Amino acid sequence: MAGVQVANVSRSFGAMKALDDVSIDFADGGFYALLGPSGSGKTTLLRQIAGFDFPDAGRIAIGGESVERVPVEKRRIGMVFQNYALFPNMSVADNVAFGLSVRGEAKATIAAEVQRALDLVQLGKLGGRRPHQLSGGQRQRVALARAIVTKPRVLLLDEPLGALDKALRVDMQIELKRIQREIGITTIFVTHDQEEALTMSDRIGILRDGRLVQEGPPEEIYDRPQSEFAATFLGDANIFRGDATGSGIRLQDGTTINAASGASVPAGAKASCAVRPERIQISTGSAKPDRVDANTLEGKVSKRIFAGNSSTYFVDREGQTLKVIVQNTGAERLAEGEPVMLSWSPDSTVLIAA
Amino acid sequence: MADQLATGSRRGLRPALPLLLPAYLWLTVAIFLPLSAMVFFSFMTDLPLAGKEWAFTLGNYAAFFSQSLYSTLLFASLRLGLEVTLWCVVIGYPAAYVLAKVLKGRSREAIFLLVILPFWSNGLVRIFSWAMVLREGGILDTALNAVLPFKINIDLMYSYPAVIIGLVHSYVPYMVLTCYLTLQAIDDSLIEAGRSLGASRRQVLRRVIIPLSMPGLIAGSALIFVPVVGSFMEPRILGGRTGTFYGTVIEDQFVAVFNWPLGAALSFILLAVVLIILALAAPVLRRAG
Ligand SMILES: Nc1ncnc2c1ncn2[C@@H]1O[C@H](COP(=O)(O)OP(=O)(O)OP(=O)(O)O)[C@@H](O)[C@H]1O
Ligand SMILES: [Mg+2]
């Protein structure tokens, strides 16, 4: 087992900077999610760590040992591909045995290790099948068993659950997390899916256009995004733009919004505030907020979407549409067109430098 | 994919018949009828031309077994087919690999064009060009003597190697094409998966890529072996006196001796032998793949 250090790594394809000075420390035994929109460089970063591709600049170390000149097959990594990449000419057991057998292990050792790996992914009885006789979820498990049976130092997964349907995906998320805990392997997980990143990982790195936008534990990124992009990419956020006041911002119409956390921006500079839809209280016009320093705004409900356990209100004010999510507590529901008062605490507001 | 195939076959053949009919009509007219005529000829004592007398006989087939010349030549032709096929694998497979897995974009198109270029030139032109290259005082001889400090005589013309060179040149594009198609269908991520599991490039080639490209190798080999065993043009022009093979003997019966019945009988014996070889080889090769 080993951690991975990526330091100032850049990689260009022609004029296109796929990775631009990215530095991340992947902790030993941790579960790290790389999140970002399509084309942001997630796969490219994973391929540098795996050794399928080499950086133009920067350092990559696995377990403290520099690997820039080490070819893939010597890096002792395990990789799970989005399309599974199982060898169609081999049985499930032979697929899993491949890594051990190219290493020249004894037949009996291989058989025992393969069986243990297949049991771990709960496919102990399917060793004799061919990959095309398996379901998507089963193939994914075989790919996982094949990747971990060689006891790699790092497990790299490139959108491994992308091809599965929602229910199976949730099952596999739990399974993957269980296996990762059981063997305690450093895991780097690429995903498009923010919910997957939030629920599974110890740390998240958000990439955009080849740059690392923000990284940290899921709670920290969600509660204290450092950019509008991070705020809106991971979860939903209402963004207000204005001039910094020292304790928040002043909007164009003079309304002030106080923020208790976030960047420190000199008064007068351009800044924005982000607030999560579920942190906003919505009430009919006259109600008073329970805190004196609470941020308040008036608006009009333009749309309500009922989703069972919650309702989403879209509230129009001053040409901006705000989103508010209210848990279904049985309280009276607001009608479209109704004037409302929005209020939320400065503690729920993050100041972001422009 | 498997599901699609299953539903396809469940719908049955009937809807496909109108689509298949033109092909079957053409095959009947173009292949089945002439072939039946040939089967008929092969059992005749003489051609029924100009009112000549003829009768049914098995003599044409018996001739093959009574004269050892024919079986010796057939054996030589089978060896020629095997050698040419092997050379085509040795030359064509790496070329197909480079085309499918190494080159990208423009350079791939350009090299691809070069590979199939022989298809576009007339077969005779191709063979006579080789004659110019291989003969003494020809292009190869002159070029080598211009470069080398000592005098050597290169005269490959009218020799077994010349026949091999000509045939390999004519048939290697088939091997490149069939292997290219199967290699291209192999996902690059399989190669990367193999390498990430600790296999060297060579191990990945041996244990993943070659087994998966077996269908292409087999198809290419069948496409080459069969016509090479019966070939006559290259052996005659490039082989000269050494170029007597089973195919040239058959050709003689049709164009020189006018013994069509014997020519037809020899052809069908060749066909039977080739079919037997393919039938024997198929299960072995399938297991290898
Ligand atoms: N081999 C390559 N040649 C040229 N450009 C490439 C190559 N690989 C990646 N790129 C470019 O680099 C950028 C980053 O690609 P990458 O595959 O890392 O994105 P990604 O974040 O994995 O996206 P996705 O979520 O769609 O998989 C893209 O603009 C892509 O077009
Ligand atoms: Mg990707």
Side-chain angles (χ1 to χ4, degrees), chain A residues 47 52 71-73 77 79 81 83 85-90 95 98-99 101-102 146-147 150, chain B residues 2 187 189-201 203-204 207-209 211-212 289:
Chain A
R47 293 172 61 81
F52 295 129
V72 190
E73 63 266 28
I77 50 135
M79 178 114 184
F81 296 80
N83 64 353
L86 299 178
F87 305 126
N89 56 320
M90 299 178 199
N95 261 280
F98 185 88
S101 112
V102 293
R146 184 179 69 175
T150 54
Chain B
D187 199 324
S189 66
L190 290 184
I191 301 173
E192 296 188 340
R195 301 252 281 138
S196 75
L197 290 166
S200 63
R201 282 173 200 279
Q203 280 171 316
V204 171
R207 304 180 59 151
V208 179
I209 299 176
L212 286 176

Side-chain angles (χ1 to χ4, degrees), chain A residues 166-182:
Chain A
K166 183 78 187 161
L168 194 53
R169 196 141 128 187
V170 173
D171 283 351
M172 280 301 293
Q173 287 172 4
I174 296 167
E175 186 86 339
L176 184 59
K177 192 71 199 167
R178 171 182 71 79
I179 292 167
Q180 193 264 341
R181 266 209 210 97
E182 211 166 305

Side-chain angles (χ1 to χ4, degrees), chain A residues 219-293:
Chain A
E219 298 83 357
E220 185 186 307
I221 298 189
Y222 190 80
D223 291 341
R224 284 189 297 285
Q226 289 164 3
S227 59
E228 285 184 21
F229 177 78
T232 49
F233 190 74
L234 192 74
D236 255 324
N238 294 299
I239 303 283
F240 301 94
R241 298 196 184 92
D243 301 315
T245 59
S247 62
I249 58 169
R250 178 174 292 111
L251 305 184
Q252 231 150 39
D253 63 354
T255 319
T256 56
I257 291 179
N258 293 318
S261 63
S264 55
V265 185
K270 294 268 172 229
S272 27
C273 279
V275 56
R276 299 286 179 194
E278 69 275 15
R279 297 291 187 87
I280 301 180
Q281 275 99 48
I282 188 167
S283 53
T284 48
S286 55
K288 276 261 159 281
D290 35 337
R291 275 179 66 163
V292 283
D293 64 346

Side-chain angles (χ1 to χ4, degrees), chain A residues 82-130:
Chain A
Q82 179 168 7
N83 64 353
Y84 321 121
L86 299 178
F87 305 126
N89 56 320
M90 299 178 199
S91 69
V92 164
D94 287 344
N95 261 280
V96 179
F98 185 88
L100 297 171
S101 112
V102 293
R103 225 191 258 168
E105 304 262 352
K107 280 239 163 61
T109 328
I110 294 180
E113 292 286 330
V114 167
Q115 193 55 47
R116 190 168 337 143
L118 284 176
D119 287 340
L120 187 68
V121 297
Q122 303 179 344
L123 286 181
K125 293 196 181 68
L126 298 187
R129 291 226 193 144
R130 289 277 170 143

